[in-house]
Amino acid sequence: MSGMTTDAGSLRELTVGTGTGLDTADMVLNIGPQHPSTHGVLRLKLVLDGERVVACEPIVGYMHRGAEKLFEVRDYRQIIVLANRHDWLSAFANELGVVLAVERLMGLEVPERAVWLRTALAELNRVLNHLMFLGSYPLEIGAITPMFYAFRERETLQTVLEEVSGGRIHYMFNRVGGLKEEVPAGWTSRARAAIDEVRRRLPDLDHLIRRNEIFLARTVGVGVLSAADAAAFGASGPVARASGLDLDLRRDEPYLAYGELDVPVVTRTAGDCHARFEVLLDQVYVSLDLAQQCLDRVDRLTGPVNTRLPKVVKAPEGHTYAWTENPLGINGYYLVSRGEKTPWRLKLRTASYANVQALATLLPGCLVPDLVAILGSMFFVVGDIDK
């Protein structure tokens, strides 16, 4: 590729990245911040030598909405609605992390029925998150059919979540001290039926894509993230477990009802795009089973689903840190209170932010056509990076 440039009044030809034996120059290419391959407003500053990536710098912040600053002027009931939006595919899990941090600081004990319901809903939310990526990732590398299967299953589960909370994406069902309200009569039976239906039909999606030879050619051995690099970047969730990091807070530092459940942790060792996809797919089967176990337990429990609180909720002076195994990885919530009705500081440690930093190591050396496959396999939500 060549171009004519003016240099001190004279013309000279600059040859860019055409191969050995010629004077070549690296080309800087910006992917984004508005680009079909970037999941949203993310910018990748690439240095290319022909078709090969020499260096990559992820540049974030285009979607920054200042959620952490807004937390400081909202009371403990209002911050939940802000928190459930940074990773819009994991809204229930986001709310959960905030209320767990506040409850820990206040020393609140949540009713047992609420604990098991929260766990069931968190696992259903995890399945919804994973199904979105299981449909969109193949779509990004040319396979449209998996999207229809993934959305069929999402609709089945969203129906029961919409019935219980009134929302399809932003549920706003957690409250400090428990849940917003009791679930509708017969809801657990309908939720179990939906889980059974999704479990029965999931192999349609699985058989379509997992061993598809075109999909394998695009993902196996592509974008390998070693366990050491995953740990160094603070990667977590399916991205880290696909590289062999056997870490899952639900098993290793249980919260909610996970301490009473046997949580199988899905891992792979290859660390490539296909391993990340497989971990996500197999995790769906695990989460469906966990959600069903929780619903079975809920049916055997009676009692309230929330704690009666004063009209103005104030957390005592102090600080605490709560972390949860969100669908995309570990989310941390560092809450500092001065005894007021608003947090003095609420810092979010989001999974997507750490995962996307690994692109600086993953992309150099790969070809531009593989860039989309690698980017999609890192499973991030841009709002979760920028907050």
Side-chain angles (χ1 to χ4, degrees), residues 79-234:
I79 61 174
I80 298 170
V81 76
L82 287 171
N84 80 16
R85 281 163 164 73
H86 56 88
D87 173 0
W88 45 80
L89 297 178
S90 312
F92 188 87
N94 298 344
E95 301 169 11
L96 189 59
V98 169
V99 296
L100 287 174
V102 178
E103 286 162 3
R104 185 172 297 177
L105 198 55
M106 293 177 70
L108 271 182
E109 190 159 335
V110 177
E112 191 180 9
R113 184 172 167 83
V115 170
W116 283 93
L117 272 169
R118 278 178 172 180
T119 314
L121 292 165
E123 289 305 311
L124 290 174
N125 190 199
R126 190 182 311 277
V127 174
L128 285 172
N129 173 291
H130 290 359
L131 283 170
M132 175 62 83
F133 285 105
L134 292 173
S136 68
Y137 181 49
L139 182 66
E140 285 161 8
I141 51 182
I144 192 170
T145 312
M147 196 68 167
F148 300 127
Y149 285 104
F151 265 76
R152 178 184 68 179
E153 313 314 338
R154 272 178 60 86
E155 283 301 317
T156 302
L157 294 176
Q158 276 187 313
T159 299
V160 294
L161 276 161
E162 185 176 9
E163 182 191 355
V164 79
S165 69
R168 288 172 57 82
I169 298 289
H170 302 302
Y171 307 108
M172 268 307 290
F173 200 57
N174 277 291
R175 293 292 186 274
V176 175
L179 295 170
K180 176 188 170 191
E181 59 197 3
E182 182 55 85
V183 297
W187 177 82
T188 53
S189 299
R190 291 187 289 278
R192 266 196 300 271
I195 289 169
D196 288 339
E197 195 173 346
V198 171
R199 190 190 284 113
R200 179 175 53 80
R201 296 189 311 207
L202 197 58
D204 293 346
L205 175 63
D206 194 328
H207 297 152
L208 180 71
I209 196 73
R210 191 195 292 256
R211 293 289 164 224
N212 180 285
E213 60 185 40
I214 301 172
F215 186 70
L216 289 170
R218 292 296 306 274
T219 57
V220 173
V222 174
V224 176
L225 179 67
S226 69
D229 284 343
F233 280 104

